[in-house]
Amino acid sequence: MTKRVLVPMESYRLAEAAVPLSCYICGVDNSYSTELCRHCGAPLALSHQARTQGVRPQMLAVLGTAAAGKTVYLGMLLDMLTRQNGRVQVLARGAFSITLQQRTMMALAKCQFPEKTPNEPDRWNWVHCQAKLNNKKEPMELIMPDMAGEAILEEIDHPNAYPAIHSFLDKCSAVILLADTDRIERGGAEQNYFLMKLITYLSEKDGRRNKSKKSTRPVAIVFSKADRCEPCFDNPELYAKEKTPNLWQQVQQRFENYGFFASGVAGAVGFREEPGEGPLAVPLRIEPRGIVEPFEWLVRKV
């Protein structure tokens, strides 16, 4: 004879699942158990974390062209800040926030750069962390995604092409703009035009909100891969004025809070031939410089 067992019904779980969960990035309602937002593709773990912490995280954007070094910069930044550095300390919120740091450091340990960030938002690495400055009592909650450079450019040229980028740039409190020093030194104008587009796009977004002449959103212009150009480290703003004069002028005219910085991760870079791909850059020595300074400056401004 089969015994019948009464199983208590956990009605609170049903009630919880019936309430929609709003995406923290774009605000669209989703099913409570869904992993990614159905509209923008951002992880709903960000919404769960924000609800659990009871604090609305600030958003910080790291922008640049494809291959400007966004993934390496963010991964190295997180690796340095999760250690005791005496200035800024970071604590990851959720296991998903460690993936970017893990992949970057594992690639560099093998004398490789991380793979190119895919254009699909559901494959981006997002970071939710708590940042604590040594001279401030209250820590700050931050969200920082590693967005693809090609997707960023597509959104600038065709607004709303990427809802995640559109919403994030509309809401973010501060911005780090990465300029590829290596390509600038080779005489290419791509970096200058791309960053001028970004500066115009961001300032016009802010202008629609407050109608002021200049945007008050803090912006850090960081010359990445500057370890290959020592004068850039000596005086980043002078370097910007001489090498990217249009960008330097646009920043001054459109933003109140701005700073120029130089950063580098690979102290030496070599090249190896890949069949069908041509020469591939490989890091020969890891010597991070100027990684924390732009981030610390922005956090203090926010």
Side-chain angles (χ1 to χ4, degrees), residues 12-302:
Y12 75 94
R13 293 185 180 275
L14 294 174
E16 187 180 63
V19 178
L21 182 67
S22 177
C23 173
Y24 193 78
I25 304 303
C26 70
V28 170
D29 286 342
N30 293 265
S31 171
Y32 191 85
S33 58
T34 304
E35 182 181 358
L36 300 173
C37 175
R38 60 187 174 86
H39 179 62
C40 71
L44 292 177
L46 299 171
S47 302
H48 288 292
Q49 288 286 342
R51 178 179 290 186
T52 302
Q53 298 299 325
V55 178
R56 293 190 64 82
Q58 302 279 350
M59 300 187 195
L60 192 154
V62 178
L63 309 174
T65 60
K70 297 182 297 300
T71 302
V72 173
Y73 176 82
L74 269 173
M76 180 59 71
L77 175 69
L78 293 169
D79 191 68
M80 294 177 70
L81 293 181
T82 50
R83 305 178 187 185
Q84 298 288 337
N85 60 37
R87 291 158 59 186
V88 188
Q89 296 179 21
V90 158
L91 176 66
R93 298 291 197 190
F96 68 94
S97 297
I98 304 175
T99 303
L100 175 61
Q101 175 187 350
Q102 176 190 7
R103 290 180 177 175
T104 301
M105 301 314 296
M106 288 182 66
L108 293 176
K110 297 176 183 177
C111 291
Q112 299 173 357
F113 287 115
E115 293 183 1
K116 177 179 175 293
T117 303
N119 289 340
E120 298 80 13
D122 59 349
R123 298 174 62 190
W124 295 345
N125 289 313
W126 293 72
V127 176
H128 178 195
C129 62
Q130 181 190 82
K132 176 71 168 63
L133 292 170
N134 58 1
N135 61 348
K136 286 191 176 184
K137 293 182 179 180
E138 295 298 325
M140 178 185 297
E141 298 287 329
L142 289 173
I143 292 176
M144 300 181 291
D146 179 25
M147 300 182 290
E150 292 172 356
I152 295 169
L153 180 59
E154 181 69 15
E155 171 59 32
I156 293 171
D157 288 338
H158 306 285
N160 287 308
Y162 284 84
I165 299 177
H166 186 87
S167 297
F168 195 88
L169 296 186
D170 196 44
K171 298 177 181 178
C172 70
S173 303
V175 179
I176 292 177
L177 299 182
L178 289 186
D180 190 333
T181 310
D182 188 43
R183 279 185 269 184
I184 292 173
E185 284 295 305
R186 282 188 271 138
E190 174 197 14
Q191 297 298 298
N192 199 25
Y193 290 128
F194 178 85
L195 292 174
M196 283 197 298
K197 277 186 174 183
L198 269 175
I199 290 294
T200 303
Y201 180 88
L202 293 170
S203 64
E204 286 179 352
K205 269 183 173 290
D206 294 340
R208 286 194 293 268
R209 282 197 292 264
N210 55 35
K211 305 298 181 184
S212 63
K213 290 184 178 180
K214 291 186 178 182
S215 170
T216 57
R217 178 164 24 188
V219 174
I221 296 86
V222 181
F223 290 99
S224 61
K225 308 177 189 177
D227 35 27
R228 310 174 200 181
C229 180
E230 200 61 35
C232 184
F233 268 111
D234 294 338
N235 192 330
E237 184 165 359
L238 179 61
Y239 181 85
K241 186 176 181 180
E242 293 178 348
K243 296 289 186 175
T244 57
N246 295 336
L247 171 64
W248 178 79
Q249 188 175 26
Q250 288 278 335
V251 170
Q252 286 194 321
Q253 291 176 347
R254 294 178 179 272
F255 288 89
E256 289 184 4
N257 297 317
Y258 64 87
F260 291 91
F261 303 86
S263 73
V265 171
V269 175
F271 294 88
R272 70 164 183 258
E273 290 291 332
E274 288 290 326
E277 296 184 12
L280 181 68
V282 293
L284 303 178
R285 190 172 66 247
I286 306 303
E287 294 179 355
R289 296 172 63 189
I291 302 296
V292 176
E293 286 80 0
F295 177 82
E296 181 182 6
W297 180 84
L298 276 182
V299 171
R300 294 187 186 280
K301 291 290 183 180
V302 171

